Amino acid sequence: MFARRDALVNLASILRSAPGSDDEVVEEGLLEPGDEALAADDVRLEGPLSWSLVVRRTGGDDDDFIVDGTVAGTAVLACRRCLEDVPVDVDADFVYLMRHRPSDHPEIALVEDEDADEDLLEFGQPTVDFAPLLRQVFAIDVPLTALCREDCKGLSLDGVNLNEHPEAATPADDGARAPSPFAALEDLELQD
Ligand SMILES: [Zn+2]
């Protein structure tokens, strides 16, 4: 449906609108971060990110804007017990104050607002590349760890995936997670 794979948004129309107007720029698309960007974010993805955002004026008589959006996708994490890949759906929201400060730099910058106690996005040109922001918002919402399933049996001490080969479990692998078929043998050894 969508051909675009970036997050370039042209804000020229809203920049031209009068302060206080309720014009807005509504955009959505897919974003396919390059390998380099993904490595920098320490994120693996299954498919592109889908995003949507709305930019509108804050309603005051100044030149401030608000961007309100979502970014969603499927991250791939290694199961913390068995290390198999686990797809994890992530759906993140964001809201930022934006301020136009004309410059030659096409990048947006997250800067601290001296007046308010919050960060705001400065943009220098009418066409804004939201990709770095979307990637960052997404990466922050990716959980640190994942489980392939609640009862994942993990790896044996020899590195065998016990979900696939439960028969490879030894008492040492089993721990307290499940009753071991070798529990009886352990008792015998203790009685020796
Ligand atoms: Zn697992």
Side-chain angles (χ1 to χ4, degrees), residues 5-9 30-34 36-38 40-41 43 49 51 53 71 94 96 98 105-110 121-123 127-141:
R5 286 286 196 276
D6 62 40
L8 290 171
V9 178
L30 298 176
L31 175 63
E32 228 158 16
E36 213 170 295
L38 290 171
D41 295 342
V43 166
L49 300 175
W51 59 269
L53 59 81
V71 54
F94 59 92
Y96 286 103
M98 295 183 75
H105 299 292
E107 294 89 15
I108 42 175
L110 199 54
L121 292 170
E122 277 188 359
F123 61 107
T127 297
V128 174
D129 184 5
F130 281 97
L133 178 78
L134 295 168
R135 279 172 32 215
Q136 189 185 350
V137 167
F138 182 85
I140 287 170
D141 256 43

Side-chain angles (χ1 to χ4, degrees), residues 164-175:
E164 291 162 15
H165 300 284
E167 73 283 0
T170 66
D173 295 322
D174 207 65

Side-chain angles (χ1 to χ4, degrees), residues 79 82 148 152 163:
C79 171
C82 73
C148 63
C152 171
N163 298 318

Side-chain angles (χ1 to χ4, degrees), residues 1-118:
M1 201 167 64
F2 279 105
R4 64 183 299 180
R5 286 286 196 276
D6 62 40
L8 290 171
V9 178
N10 189 336
L11 300 179
S13 64
I14 202 174
L15 279 169
R16 280 195 304 268
S17 69
S21 87
D22 53 9
D23 287 0
E24 55 187 29
V25 173
V26 182
E27 289 277 351
E28 61 182 348
L30 298 176
L31 175 63
E32 228 158 16
D35 291 342
E36 213 170 295
L38 290 171
D41 295 342
D42 198 17
V43 166
R44 280 191 294 152
L45 287 179
E46 191 178 272
L49 300 175
S50 67
W51 59 269
S52 66
L53 59 81
V54 181
V55 180
R56 54 173 70 91
R57 287 184 174 274
T58 54
D61 50 7
D62 50 18
D63 225 12
D64 284 352
F65 304 85
I66 282 181
V67 59
D68 187 344
T70 62
V71 54
T74 304
V76 181
L77 279 80
C79 171
R80 67 171 173 264
R81 288 186 196 151
C82 73
L83 307 181
E84 289 292 315
D85 281 350
V86 188
V88 179
D89 291 334
V90 174
D91 197 342
D93 302 327
F94 59 92
V95 180
Y96 286 103
L97 204 57
M98 295 183 75
R99 185 167 293 157
H100 187 221
R101 183 166 288 181
S103 82
D104 295 335
H105 299 292
E107 294 89 15
I108 42 175
L110 199 54
V111 299
E112 206 172 319
D113 185 7
E114 295 104 24
D115 306 330
D117 189 21
E118 60 181 331

